[in-house]
């Protein structure tokens, strides 16, 4: 995103398009938060539920796979309701599910909270790709669903 000009002039402090700094900052915050989610959620849910780590890992894996399976449905919803509406809706789902973490003191409640968190997190790429102001040819329809599924798969594989 930033470039280093030849001739000794450094232009990496100047953004190439409006909002570039905010975009890079948002990506950095998202990457740190996503990277810390799995290890800290394992420890947190172990403390709150008292379940074995293997059960917690299994629930997080299954709910992650369900979240990936929901990506095409969210792609259809993006086409129908718009990227902005779906992005805000997914932020609300993620926020509410994270707020319910302390309430997950038993396996069924933990599974529901993990499922909502997974749906809000894994299904996020379609609205982001469709609503990007800097990509005039953002994928739509089936292309949006497939590209979002391809994006979500490696992210979930890290959690396995």
């Amino acid at each position: 995103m930033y470039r280093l000009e030849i001739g000794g002039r450094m232009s990496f402090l100047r953004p190439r398009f409006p909002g570039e700094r905010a975009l890079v900052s948002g990506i950095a915050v998202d990457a740190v938060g996503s990277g810390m989610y799995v290890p800290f959620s394992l420890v947190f849910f172990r403390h709150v539920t008292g379940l074995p780590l293997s059960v917690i890992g299994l629930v997080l894996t299954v709910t992650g796979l369900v979240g990936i399976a929901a990506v095409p449905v969210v792609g259809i919803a993006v086409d129908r309701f718009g990227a902005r509406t779906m992005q805000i809706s997914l932020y609300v789902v993620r926020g509410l599910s994270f707020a319910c973490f302390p309430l997950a003191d038993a396996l069924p409640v933990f599974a529901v909270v993990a499922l909502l968190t997974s749906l809000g997190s894994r299904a996020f790429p379609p609205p982001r790709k469709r609503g990007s102001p800097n990509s005039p040819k953002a994928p739509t329809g089936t292309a949006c669903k497939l590209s979002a599924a391809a994006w979500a798969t490696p992210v979930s594989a890290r959690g396995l």
Side-chain angles (χ1 to χ4, degrees):
M1 288 195 161
Y2 296 103
R3 62 182 181 270
L4 179 63
E5 291 182 3
I6 298 178
R9 269 184 56 161
M10 295 193 315
S11 67
F12 63 87
L13 297 177
R14 280 184 297 167
R16 291 186 287 178
F17 58 87
E20 183 179 18
R21 286 186 182 133
L23 176 66
V24 171
S25 300
I27 290 170
V29 168
D30 184 54
V32 169
S34 297
M36 291 187 331
Y37 169 72
V38 172
F40 284 114
S41 64
L42 285 172
V43 171
F44 179 81
F45 286 122
R46 171 74 173 122
H47 179 71
V48 172
T49 64
L51 294 169
L53 289 175
S54 59
V55 173
I56 295 170
L58 179 66
V59 170
L60 291 177
T61 299
V62 170
T63 57
L65 293 172
V66 171
I68 291 172
V71 170
V73 176
V74 173
I76 292 169
V78 167
D79 290 340
R80 175 173 222 133
F81 302 111
R84 180 173 163 71
T85 302
M86 289 307 300
Q87 191 169 20
I88 291 170
S89 300
L90 289 172
Y91 273 139
V92 169
V93 168
R94 287 174 79 183
L96 290 175
S97 64
F98 284 132
C100 290
F101 269 26
L103 305 175
D105 59 352
L107 181 60
V109 180
F110 163 57
V112 170
V113 169
L115 179 63
L116 291 175
T117 303
S118 177
L119 290 174
S121 300
R122 301 283 189 255
F124 190 67
R128 185 168 56 181
K129 287 186 179 287
R130 175 71 185 249
S132 175
N134 298 317
S135 59
K137 295 184 179 181
T140 59
T142 304
C144 182
K145 294 172 218 158
L146 291 176
S147 66
W151 178 87
T153 302
V155 172
S156 293
R158 286 187 295 188
L160 296 176

